[in-house]
Amino acid sequence: MDFTITEEQEMLRATIRKFVDKECPRVFQREIDEKEEFPHRLWDKLGGLGMLGLIIEEKYGGMGGNVMDMVLAVEELAKGMFVLGDAFFQFNCFGPTTIRYFGNEKQKEAYLPKLAGGDIKICLGVTESHSGTDALGLKTKAEEKEDHYLINGSKMFTTGAHISDYIMLMARTTKEVQKKSYGISIFMVDLKTKGITINRIKKVGLKALGTCEIFFEDVMVPKENLMGERDKGWYHLLDTLNNERIVIAALCSGGAQAALNDAVQYAKERIVFSRPIGQFQAIQHYLADMFTKIELARLMIYKAAWLQSNGLPCAIEANMAKLAASEAFLYATAKGMEILAGYGFTMEYDMQRYWRDSKLFEFAPITNEMVRNFLAEKLGLPRSY
């Protein structure tokens, strides 16, 4: 395997780094976190740079990139402004990938150029209040009518729904099936459609990127908005989920790197007993462990991204990358809080925000316990769920 970063990819990283340094001052990040406001101005500027079409084919106005490109861009964004990195992942992973793989030509022409230009956002609706990790237990249903589907149900923890134009919605189209994975379909639903109610949820972290509960009551969706084949939506989603695991891992490694950078800087500057705390062995060990865990996670991420980019099986590696990177993120922010001590507990420093943001990825988009269950099954052990 050759994980060599190409000259074009180095230019991509440099462009993102320059953008973050210029456009994302820390005082602004603290402000939008406190006000829980999405940075629309920055999103528009990313669109102006062409970054929102990173993984969209050139003929639809994109850059024609792959998962490795997405990993590098998200990781760099997360180092400088984590919430923007998460938004970049959310709105570039689900909609474009699903449309690219399973949309018909009419759907591609209708949505991909607008996504590439930043004119629309598409969120993903899978999780429900009762199902969570058991995604196949969804109850939202789509009943086929003469020229449309009638959708009823609800979705929980849908990221960015309040600022999205469409939702890539999973709903059950056939109730009586031999396997739970069959009978589910994906629909592109305009969020302005009558019968949709969106409520924003108050939460601990990632406050500038809202999370919502959505209710669907007799929502009429044209048949032409069915994405891919009817009843095969779960299988259509699997490629997207591998991308999700890999890019989420890159997001976590970027966030962990930001925490490490701040902790190292603080350890050099904070003077106790007439010397910097970075001279104390305990602090050095914390930082060395953070450094090692992040680098190990990054290697796993690059391996998974290389496999996916080359059309090779990567489910195991994608899940390993998510596990390793999310735990590196948790460790880096927890130890970062200890290194900054009282100052880490104040809103004046950013470590508390890294710490709050990191907790989510212990159980989202899949719990680390379920990742371990999946990996154990691949070792030949009995299925535990």
Side-chain angles (χ1 to χ4, degrees):
M1 295 181 188
D2 183 4
F3 301 158
T4 302
I5 305 302
T6 67
E7 184 178 346
E8 290 80 7
Q9 289 171 331
E10 287 291 2
M11 289 175 61
L12 171 65
R13 286 207 290 203
T15 300
I16 295 287
R17 191 177 304 121
K18 183 178 180 181
F19 174 84
V20 170
D21 290 344
K22 180 182 178 182
E23 303 289 349
C24 308
R26 294 198 178 206
V27 64
F28 173 70
Q29 297 186 45
R30 294 165 190 161
E31 180 182 325
I32 63 169
D33 180 72
E34 185 176 347
K35 293 181 178 180
E36 303 189 17
E37 293 179 351
F38 184 76
H40 292 285
R41 177 181 61 84
L42 295 185
W43 189 257
D44 292 341
K45 289 194 172 186
L46 280 174
L49 289 173
M51 291 297 166
L52 301 183
L54 182 59
I55 60 171
I56 293 173
E57 295 163 274
E58 292 181 15
K59 71 175 184 176
Y60 300 112
M63 298 172 66
N66 57 26
V67 178
M68 181 62 84
D69 298 314
M70 191 71 175
V71 160
L72 297 173
V74 166
E75 186 176 36
E76 202 60 47
L77 277 172
K79 288 179 191 176
M81 186 174 179
F82 188 81
V83 73
L84 188 59
D86 194 16
F88 189 84
F89 150 71
Q90 294 284 345
F91 295 126
N92 278 278
C93 184
F94 301 121
T97 302
T98 304
I99 297 169
R100 178 181 176 183
Y101 289 160
F102 303 107
N104 57 43
E105 190 58 33
K106 183 178 179 181
Q107 291 168 333
K108 291 178 181 180
E109 290 176 353
Y111 300 115
L112 292 180
K114 293 179 180 179
L115 285 165
D119 300 316
I120 62 171
K121 300 182 187 72
I122 300 175
C123 60
L124 178 68
V126 177
T127 302
E128 299 185 359
S129 59
H130 56 276
S131 57
T133 301
D134 182 17
L136 296 178
L138 60 85
K139 294 182 180 178
T140 297
K141 62 181 181 179
E143 185 179 357
E144 186 173 7
K145 300 296 184 180
E146 185 175 337
D147 62 350
H148 66 275
Y149 284 88
L150 195 64
I151 296 179
N152 284 279
S154 64
K155 294 294 174 181
M156 188 59 136
F157 303 129
T158 303
T159 302
H162 64 303
I163 55 172
S164 294
D165 301 280
Y166 298 89
I167 182 169
M168 193 75 72
L169 180 73
M170 285 187 65
R172 188 161 289 284
T173 40
T174 299
K175 185 176 181 181
E176 301 298 328
V177 291
Q178 292 182 333
K179 290 181 64 176
K180 288 173 65 176
S181 57
Y182 189 74
I184 295 171
S185 301
I186 300 177
F187 297 90
M188 181 73 80
V189 181
D190 188 331
L191 286 170
K192 298 185 295 294
T193 306
K194 182 180 178 182
I196 297 177
T197 302
I198 302 173
N199 297 325
R200 192 165 172 181
I201 301 166
K202 297 290 285 185
K203 56 183 182 176
V204 172
L206 286 164
K207 292 187 173 186
L209 181 58
T211 300
C212 306
E213 183 176 20
I214 313 176
F215 297 93
F216 302 86
E217 185 175 355
D218 290 336
V219 175
M220 296 175 61
V221 178
K223 284 189 174 181
E224 65 190 39
N225 286 28
L226 175 68
M227 193 65 56
E229 294 185 59
R230 176 186 164 132
D231 290 337
K232 294 185 179 179
W234 176 252
Y235 301 99
H236 293 342
L237 193 66
L238 290 181
D239 274 333
T240 301
L241 294 181
N242 282 335
N243 285 2
E244 176 193 52
R245 306 284 193 268
I246 296 167
V247 183
I248 278 286
L251 181 72
C252 289
S253 69
Q257 187 68 54
L260 174 59
N261 292 346
D262 281 16
V264 168
Q265 188 64 34
Y266 185 84
K268 291 177 178 178
E269 297 174 352
R270 174 69 165 145
I271 306 298
V272 177
F273 300 117
S274 302
R275 52 183 169 166
I277 63 171
Q279 192 173 338
F280 299 140
Q281 191 177 71
I283 300 298
Q284 290 185 351
H285 286 186
Y286 284 166
L287 294 170
D289 285 346
M290 291 159 68
F291 187 22
T292 302
K293 290 177 186 292
I294 294 167
E295 286 299 312
L296 288 171
R298 187 171 288 125
L299 287 172
M300 194 71 246
I301 294 164
Y302 287 4
K303 179 181 180 182
W306 183 89
L307 290 169
Q308 180 76 332
S309 297
N310 285 277
L312 299 170
C314 67
I316 292 174
E317 290 80 4
N319 279 278
M320 284 180 171
K322 189 273 174 183
L323 177 64
S326 63
E327 296 201 338
F329 193 15
L330 286 162
Y331 183 87
T333 58
K335 292 305 179 187
M337 288 289 286
E338 291 184 38
I339 291 168
L340 269 66
Y343 287 107
F345 208 65
T346 68
M347 304 303 283
E348 180 182 353
Y349 286 77
D350 295 309
M351 193 62 72
Q352 50 77 27
R353 189 174 70 250
Y354 305 152
W355 181 52
R356 287 187 284 116
D357 290 348
S358 71
K359 191 63 181 176
L360 172 67
F361 301 97
E362 187 174 28
F363 47 80
I366 182 174
T367 68
N368 284 352
E369 290 80 7
M370 282 300 292
V371 170
R372 288 183 168 92
N373 291 341
F374 171 79
L375 295 174
E377 187 180 347
K378 297 305 177 183
L379 291 172
L381 299 174
R383 188 172 185 176
S384 62
Y385 56 96

